[in-house]
Amino acid sequence: ADVSAYVKPGMALDEDAAERGTSVYFPERVIPMLPEVLSNGLCSINPKVDRLCMVCELNLNAKGEVKTYRFFEGVMRSHARLTYDKVAAMLVDYNEPLRYQYEAQLPYLENLYDLYKLLAKSRRQRGAIDFETTETRIVFGEGRKIDRIVPMERNDAHKLIEECMLLANVAAADFLKEHKMPALFRVHEGPNDEKLIALREFLSELGLDLGGGDDPEPGHYAKLLNSIRERHDAHLIQTVMLRSLRQAVYTPDNAGHFGLAFEAYAHFTSPIRRYPDLLVHRAIRHVIRGGSAEEFMYNHDQMVHHGEHCSMTERRADEATRDAVDWLKCEFMLDKIGEEYEGVISSVTGFGLFIELNEIYVEGLVHVTSLG
């Protein structure tokens, strides 16, 4: 969606969006970065209506490699509102009633699914790290009390969209680099020496090894992850591997994306809910309308400031969401004191053990004073 057509620099709308930096997702409630008249209305790709959009058009060959791409401003009219579950039911489970209902869209979806399989293969060959973390969803019952906590399933429809977004984001980063535009890249650096040593010590106790010596590549992480998938302690090993990596940040100085194994990566696909994407759209529009880097409304130093602020707002949103979920989980466990559960030790500190309970995905501290 072309948010930058409506939200211009200097507007109160823009200043508020910049301050928020991102939409924040709580259980059953969203605090949007932009007012809902935009986020759910004008800028939402609703079916059967014309919507302004910023297009990334990609041409791929039979191997799934990008041959050419271009960006342009456009107007789109969506043909159907589909959900991930519906698409997965059509493509993976061959649900006949749904395939009949959406028969006009089906050939395009099947073509896209074939492309996804190629892209997933090239992702593996590239050595991208694919952590299989379990995200949970809180199901509420009557009186807004938690009924249960369930794992969120990622199906092939989710992964298909993800691969398309990765393609567009890589093209955006490439475009910004080519035109030397001051804009925000999504940068994820590899592990630092200290964390690498700690990870290797942990792995050696389990008889495991991470390749790559002092400078491991994403492929070394991916290879180790694949080798432990069937182990009963795979979740724990993966958690420790994840903690060895640095946090991804927004910065105008590109240093690549370690986890995804890309030389350059930007966020382009969600300008409704992330301010960095909106800044990327502005940079791209500036170029496609004939502007140069020197004439752009932002310079490198301003982008450094925006990058630091957006990185902070992202962490702030994550922490707020985590706090809210933890609070709800505490409420959920209140009437279960005295019951026994199976769990996995997720981390060890000087003051005790953090344990995640199986099946209900609640983590808590067993304090050192309560250990025998």
Side-chain angles (χ1 to χ4, degrees), residues 38-279:
L38 282 177
S39 58
N40 285 351
L42 261 184
C43 296
S44 193
I45 309 284
N46 298 327
K48 309 285 191 284
V49 288
D50 288 351
R51 287 285 184 260
L52 295 181
C53 59
M54 182 70 81
V55 184
C56 174
E57 181 185 87
L58 298 128
N59 285 301
L60 297 97
N61 65 13
K63 292 179 185 170
E65 299 163 337
V66 177
K67 285 294 157 196
T68 59
Y69 68 80
R70 68 184 179 120
F71 288 91
F72 57 92
E73 298 168 77
V75 176
M76 75 172 279
R77 175 175 281 250
S78 170
H79 288 277
R81 175 172 167 74
L82 298 170
T83 65
Y84 289 114
D85 289 344
K86 276 185 185 175
V87 172
M90 285 187 271
L91 297 178
V92 184
D93 305 328
Y94 284 89
N95 180 303
E96 286 303 335
L98 278 174
R99 287 170 72 88
Y100 178 74
Q101 185 183 347
Y102 294 105
E103 63 182 344
Q105 284 79 46
L106 197 57
Y108 304 105
L109 290 171
E110 290 187 319
N111 197 18
L112 204 54
Y113 193 41
D114 287 340
L115 173 64
Y116 156 69
K117 290 170 188 169
L118 279 174
L119 294 172
K121 186 179 171 187
S122 70
R123 182 194 186 111
R124 289 190 296 274
Q125 289 169 344
R126 200 173 69 239
I129 307 171
D130 206 0
F131 287 112
E132 287 186 10
T133 52
T134 305
E135 289 192 28
T136 56
R137 183 168 60 87
I138 292 173
V139 180
F140 290 94
E142 288 179 19
R144 286 194 60 77
K145 290 286 179 196
I146 297 180
D147 186 30
R148 61 194 190 282
I149 300 167
V150 297
M152 275 173 20
E153 300 290 334
R154 270 177 85 243
N155 57 39
D156 277 4
H158 288 98
K159 295 172 186 175
L160 183 158
I161 291 292
E162 188 178 282
E163 289 298 334
C164 291
M165 290 209 254
L166 291 178
L167 284 177
N169 287 340
V170 170
D174 191 66
F175 188 81
L176 297 170
K177 263 176 59 184
E178 184 189 341
H179 295 280
K180 298 182 170 58
M181 290 298 291
L184 294 181
F185 293 94
R186 180 67 167 172
V187 168
H188 182 229
E189 294 187 75
N192 62 27
D193 294 345
E194 192 182 327
K195 290 198 168 174
L196 200 53
I197 290 166
L199 174 62
R200 288 194 189 286
E201 281 177 2
F202 170 79
L203 292 171
S204 67
E205 288 172 14
L206 299 173
L208 296 169
D209 182 43
L210 174 71
D214 293 340
D215 199 14
E217 293 177 1
H220 295 120
Y221 269 77
K223 188 178 176 185
L224 178 58
L225 272 177
N226 286 330
S227 72
I228 62 156
R229 291 246 189 261
E230 303 305 315
R231 291 175 61 125
H232 69 282
D233 55 357
H235 174 66
L236 172 64
I237 299 167
Q238 180 175 272
T239 302
V240 176
M241 289 174 70
L242 192 55
R243 285 179 187 153
S244 75
L245 298 175
R246 294 181 232 202
Q247 272 191 314
V249 295
Y250 293 107
T251 170
D253 302 309
N254 177 44
H257 197 295
F258 185 83
L260 294 170
F262 288 131
E263 287 178 14
Y265 191 68
H267 274 166
F268 164 80
T269 51
S270 299
I272 289 174
R273 61 182 184 88
R274 288 189 305 227
Y275 197 72
D277 303 48
L278 181 55
L279 292 173

Side-chain angles (χ1 to χ4, degrees), residues 64 131 151 216 252 319 347:
F131 287 112
E319 285 165 14
S347 65

Side-chain angles (χ1 to χ4, degrees), residues 10-22:
M11 291 170 71
L13 255 182
D14 183 53
E15 286 171 11
D16 197 53
E19 191 182 332
R20 289 167 186 243
T22 179

